[in-house]
Amino acid sequence: MCVIAGYTGSRRAAPILIEMLKKVEYFDGGLATGIATIHEGKLYSVKCLGNVDDLLKNTDAINFPGTCGIIHTRPAGGRASHAHPFVDESGEFAFCENGTYFQVAAPEYKKDAEGILRELYEKGVTFTSAVGAPGDKWDEYHVLLPNGQTIHNAESYAQSIGWAMRDVPSDRLASALAEKTAEMQSRMPSELVTLSVHARLPGVITVGRITRSMSFATQGGETYLCTTPMGFPDDVQKWPITFLPPVTVSQASPQGVTVTSLPIKGVRVEQGGAREEGLVRNHLEKLLADKENPHSLYEMETASLGLWHEPKIDCDIVSPIGQVKETAAVIYRVLWSFFKEGRLRWILGPHGNLTMMKFWLE
């Protein structure tokens, strides 16, 4: 998983995005970080290994122009080329995601995903996240280029959507981006949520959500998006806040968020509602009761997987070990309710080789 955020409004986006991500990067990130903004028909993007402080130290991100943008951090380092956002070959389209493909690492998924890559590879697209050499052995989760290298799956989205937008006129770009996002999430479904911006589409952020959490708040000509509302500026946390529904494509503008009617084919949804939130809330009340034993998001998700047995998101493509559920999103909503009640506390602590926010309740 990762943490992502977006902003579109009247103020410069970069400082706002950096402030938001700084507040919540260790929910599930901090090892690779990147940002993209758009201004006067140009895309500005940079990424690096490390956390928000490293981004500020090693790049000019804080000075990026533009009043619309997206930002991302992930809990996996090692390769700066695998940091998000990914920028397509035209340099106009930036894309980031929060999620995992493990639940859908089935043969039919791999076949279609590699078909998408083959189409782009044969058109001469350069994949900046490509690693490995022909003949390398990869596990079943890796999608391969025709030359035997593997790439970050998010770049499949970025390059495919960006390529499709090359000849689309600006007055059709918003609808075309939404349609292509729905198509790609139908062909490559997963436990994810995505944010993207295009240099020729000022003020618009396209959101594709299957299961992972995405919240937004709009007021006074500004719209904020974040994995968790805990990332919003303190004053924005007091605005009306909405969590986007699963299996939807939406578009955010300074005036608000429009949820489209575009179908994500092959994925059926029964949104985790009051019953599931009640089960998770009761469970976390007990799990987080001990200040001396705080828990990370990963630990909360693992402990909550069995609370309801039927999948809340049903997908045509699910691996034998997978079951696509809205567990993480429900946990985010419950944690937000604890936060609003003033009961949620946290420290930074270890989780394996990661540093993560670890929570308890007062």
Side-chain angles (χ1 to χ4, degrees), residues 148-343:
Q149 291 184 299
T150 187
I151 69 168
H152 193 296
N153 282 4
E155 192 177 7
S156 304
Y157 278 87
Q159 298 290 4
S160 185
I161 296 172
W163 184 275
M165 298 303 110
R166 291 178 311 143
D167 300 321
V168 175
S170 295
D171 62 353
R172 271 267 306 135
L173 196 57
S175 58
L177 269 174
E179 290 163 6
K180 189 64 177 179
T181 298
E183 177 193 324
M184 286 298 295
Q185 292 203 345
S186 298
R187 294 184 70 179
M188 294 180 65
S190 189
E191 287 206 270
L192 54 77
V193 60
T194 68
L195 297 177
S196 63
V197 292
H198 198 286
R200 292 191 288 116
L201 192 60
V204 175
I205 301 172
T206 300
V207 187
R209 179 175 181 242
I210 295 186
T211 60
R212 294 300 183 185
S213 175
M214 181 54 59
S215 60
F216 76 90
T218 298
Q219 192 166 287
E222 294 182 302
T223 296
Y224 294 77
L225 298 149
C226 193
T227 302
T228 167
M230 290 170 59
F232 293 153
D234 292 349
D235 60 328
V236 177
Q237 290 176 353
K238 299 179 175 64
W239 297 2
I241 289 171
T242 302
F243 285 87
L244 284 171
V247 194
T248 55
V249 175
S250 308
Q251 288 186 313
S253 72
Q255 289 70 46
V257 176
T258 300
V259 180
T260 75
S261 59
L262 293 167
I264 297 176
K265 299 177 182 178
V267 184
R268 296 163 297 280
V269 57
E270 180 184 349
Q271 183 174 1
R275 169 179 170 262
E276 289 73 35
E277 289 187 25
L279 290 171
V280 171
R281 183 182 174 92
N282 290 338
H283 185 65
L284 294 187
E285 287 270 10
K286 300 173 184 176
L287 187 69
L288 304 182
D290 183 4
K291 178 180 179 179
E292 302 304 316
N293 185 29
H295 287 75
S296 69
L297 178 66
Y298 288 179
E299 292 163 336
M300 285 184 268
E301 185 174 16
T302 299
S304 302
L305 283 174
L307 293 181
W308 67 89
H309 298 292
E310 71 279 14
K312 307 311 294 182
I313 306 292
D314 190 12
C315 181
D316 281 349
I317 304 173
V318 179
S319 69
I321 65 167
Q323 187 179 68
V324 184
K325 297 172 73 172
E326 217 191 358
T327 308
V330 173
I331 291 172
Y332 272 114
R333 296 200 291 270
V334 171
L335 290 178
W336 173 239
S337 71
F338 289 146
F339 180 86
K340 289 191 296 181
E341 294 165 6
R343 302 174 57 205

Side-chain angles (χ1 to χ4, degrees), residues 26-45:
Y26 286 110
F27 248 101
D28 195 8
L31 291 185
T33 306
I35 187 173
T37 65
I38 52 176
H39 179 64
E40 296 182 347
K42 183 178 178 181
L43 179 73
Y44 296 79
S45 184

